[in-house]
Amino acid sequence: MSLVPTHCYCSDGLWYEDPVWRGYDEDGKLRWFLCLDDDDPPEMVLRVDDSPKDLDPKGRAALFPQLDYIRYTSNASSFDGQWRQFGNEMVRASSRWCELIKVPPPPTKSDGPGTKERRPGECVFYDLRRKHG
């Protein structure tokens, strides 16, 4: 749970507040989402269906999306296969910590439109245009 807003600079040159990236399966059902937090690493959350591949933790690892702007830093979390809020419903899900490794595309959801300037105030910033020491 975030205590302060998280802002991320995206490839369209805009800043987004509390961005979320989403992926859908062939049926248009939400399959995964990537969210940022103020005190945890970025988290990829994957819907776990009742198929044998989804229920097998080893097979499930291959289901996590391979996006060019993230790198996974952990195996499945302690929430592996447990019920979680997923969009507007509760589903079984698995999650993995990851890190942003390059400027991400604009999110599929955020708290407001993108802006040219970062908003002032207490918050967390993700800006991958340059490396910091």
Side-chain angles (χ1 to χ4, degrees):
M1 182 174 93
S2 293
L3 299 176
V4 297
T6 301
H7 295 258
C8 184
Y9 182 83
C10 294
S11 62
D12 62 356
L14 300 177
W15 288 92
Y16 291 88
E17 182 176 340
D18 295 328
V20 177
W21 294 265
R22 295 176 173 169
Y24 298 86
D25 62 17
E26 311 81 48
D27 300 329
K29 192 162 63 168
L30 182 61
R31 180 66 171 165
W32 59 264
F33 65 89
L34 172 66
C35 57
L36 306 179
D37 192 50
D38 63 342
D39 60 353
D40 288 318
E43 182 180 23
M44 177 63 73
V45 183
L46 176 74
R47 174 190 297 268
V48 176
D49 292 324
D50 291 330
S51 71
K53 187 173 187 179
D54 280 17
L55 294 176
D56 173 28
K58 290 180 182 173
R60 188 177 316 129
L63 298 174
F64 279 88
Q66 300 302 311
L67 306 174
D68 67 349
Y69 55 95
I70 66 168
R71 176 178 34 241
Y72 291 105
T73 59
S74 73
N75 292 326
S77 75
S78 60
F79 297 108
D80 198 32
Q82 294 185 11
W83 293 94
R84 293 187 65 177
Q85 183 74 33
F86 209 85
N88 294 326
E89 60 183 322
M90 294 294 289
V91 301
R92 280 191 292 177
S94 182
S95 64
R96 293 174 69 185
W97 301 124
C98 56
E99 65 179 329
L100 294 177
I101 56 173
K102 71 180 212 180
V103 175
T108 49
K109 176 187 177 294
S110 69
D111 290 347
T115 60
K116 285 285 186 189
E117 301 294 324
R118 293 187 299 189
R119 294 191 180 115
E122 186 178 353
C123 54
V124 173
F125 293 107
Y126 282 84
D127 185 354
L128 278 81
R129 291 177 288 180
R130 58 187 178 279
K131 292 275 186 186
H132 299 281

